[in-house]
Amino acid sequence: MLKGKLIVFEGLDGSGKTTQAFMLVEALNRRGYKAEYTCEPTYGRVGDLIRLHVSKLKSRKPIYEALLFAADRYEHIFREVKPKLRKGVIMISDRYVYSSLAYQGAGGLSLEWLKSINFFAPKPDLTIYLDVPAREALARKHKSASRRTVFEDLEFQSKVREIYLKLAEEEGFLKFDGTKPVETVHREVLRAVLRFLRKT
Ligand code: TYD
């Protein structure tokens, strides 16, 4: 029996998810809830491998990436997320399965195959999607990248966002405008999460 709740943040790099995830954890704990931050890729064995190798791959290898992210997620869920949920903790995860669908999907893989290799992942209780246009997310990330990388990245990030927006409709994500000031986004997210927690 999982007594806790799994709340997931999704969005492009530069959408502000990490900042918002930390702010939410803090705000919930101040209100007496037991909330913890966690993230994917993890800082476990496979997560370290991903950080070491995947970021350095010149050509994207989506199948290899998808399998590594799924293996990392498997460890994350069984070693950390589920045991904490059983204890009643509200787990706030910075990225989850939808990152694989959006990023490796943008790399050309079928969403059905990506879902199937992640079959073991429980559906989050709530998914918060911070929407930021690809151009703005990139501008926030690399201020000094070359024009060529920026162009390639822009095309890729636009595909990632397109998939996120489609998933948001299909899966019922709570969507927030990530271009608003940090405090405003935080207030909107917190209000929605508190409403959700009160009714469950
Ligand atoms: P990110 O959240 O940026 O981690 P960090 O704390 O290291 O900044 O995630 C790293 C990258 O991994 C990011 O570009 C998205 C990508 N990613 C995938 O492609 N698939 C996945 O399943 C996950 C979890 C992340």
Side-chain angles (χ1 to χ4, degrees):
M1 175 62 185
L2 303 176
K3 292 181 293 174
K5 294 276 175 257
L6 175 59
I7 300 181
V8 166
F9 273 88
E10 291 285 357
L12 297 181
D13 292 299
S15 62
K17 337 165 256 74
T18 306
T19 308
Q20 292 297 336
F22 275 114
M23 288 172 89
L24 178 64
V25 169
E26 212 186 296
L28 290 179
N29 285 330
R30 253 189 276 123
R31 283 166 176 77
Y33 291 98
K34 214 161 93 188
E36 280 186 33
Y37 173 90
T38 186
C39 66
E40 293 186 6
T42 67
Y43 287 90
R45 287 172 300 183
V46 187
D48 285 345
L49 200 71
I50 292 174
R51 279 169 215 283
L52 231 112
H53 298 291
V54 174
S55 59
K56 293 203 185 84
L57 287 179
K58 284 275 180 289
S59 62
R60 292 182 186 276
K61 293 184 174 167
I63 295 179
Y64 176 68
E65 289 176 12
L67 294 170
L68 281 179
F69 281 116
D72 183 43
R73 183 163 302 120
Y74 184 84
E75 276 205 317
H76 186 216
I77 291 168
F78 290 96
R79 286 184 172 215
E80 192 182 351
V81 177
K82 280 199 167 175
K84 293 273 170 66
L85 291 178
R86 268 186 225 109
K87 287 186 185 156
V89 178
I90 300 170
M91 293 301 281
I92 309 288
S93 187
D94 187 349
R95 297 196 180 283
Y96 193 60
V97 180
Y98 303 119
S99 286
S100 283
L101 302 188
Y103 283 81
Q104 280 66 58
L109 298 180
S110 108
L111 297 195
E112 284 318 306
W113 181 73
L114 289 163
K115 282 180 191 167
S116 74
I117 63 165
N118 284 282
F119 72 91
F120 53 83
K123 199 176 151 80
D125 294 291
L126 193 66
T127 300
I128 294 163
Y129 170 61
L130 302 183
D131 188 46
V132 167
R135 194 178 290 278
E136 172 146 358
L138 277 175
R140 289 183 186 181
K141 267 289 178 198
H142 354 246
K143 295 222 159 71
S144 58
S146 75
R147 279 193 61 187
R148 181 151 175 273
T149 2
V150 168
F151 179 71
E152 284 172 359
D153 274 4
L154 187 60
E155 216 174 357
F156 184 75
Q157 299 297 327
S158 303
K159 270 194 221 157
V160 175
R161 181 178 183 228
E162 219 174 275
I163 299 176
Y164 267 138
L165 289 171
K166 188 168 142 256
L167 289 171
E169 291 294 319
E170 289 173 2
E171 307 277 338
F173 296 173
L174 292 186
K175 194 171 121 193
F176 296 88
D177 179 354
T179 63
K180 290 185 183 171
V182 177
E183 278 300 334
T184 311
V185 177
H186 171 63
R187 272 199 306 278
E188 291 179 0
V189 167
L190 180 61
R191 195 181 310 132
V193 170
L194 289 174
R195 198 180 306 132
F196 163 77
L197 290 174
R198 279 189 210 113
K199 70 167 202 246
T200 54

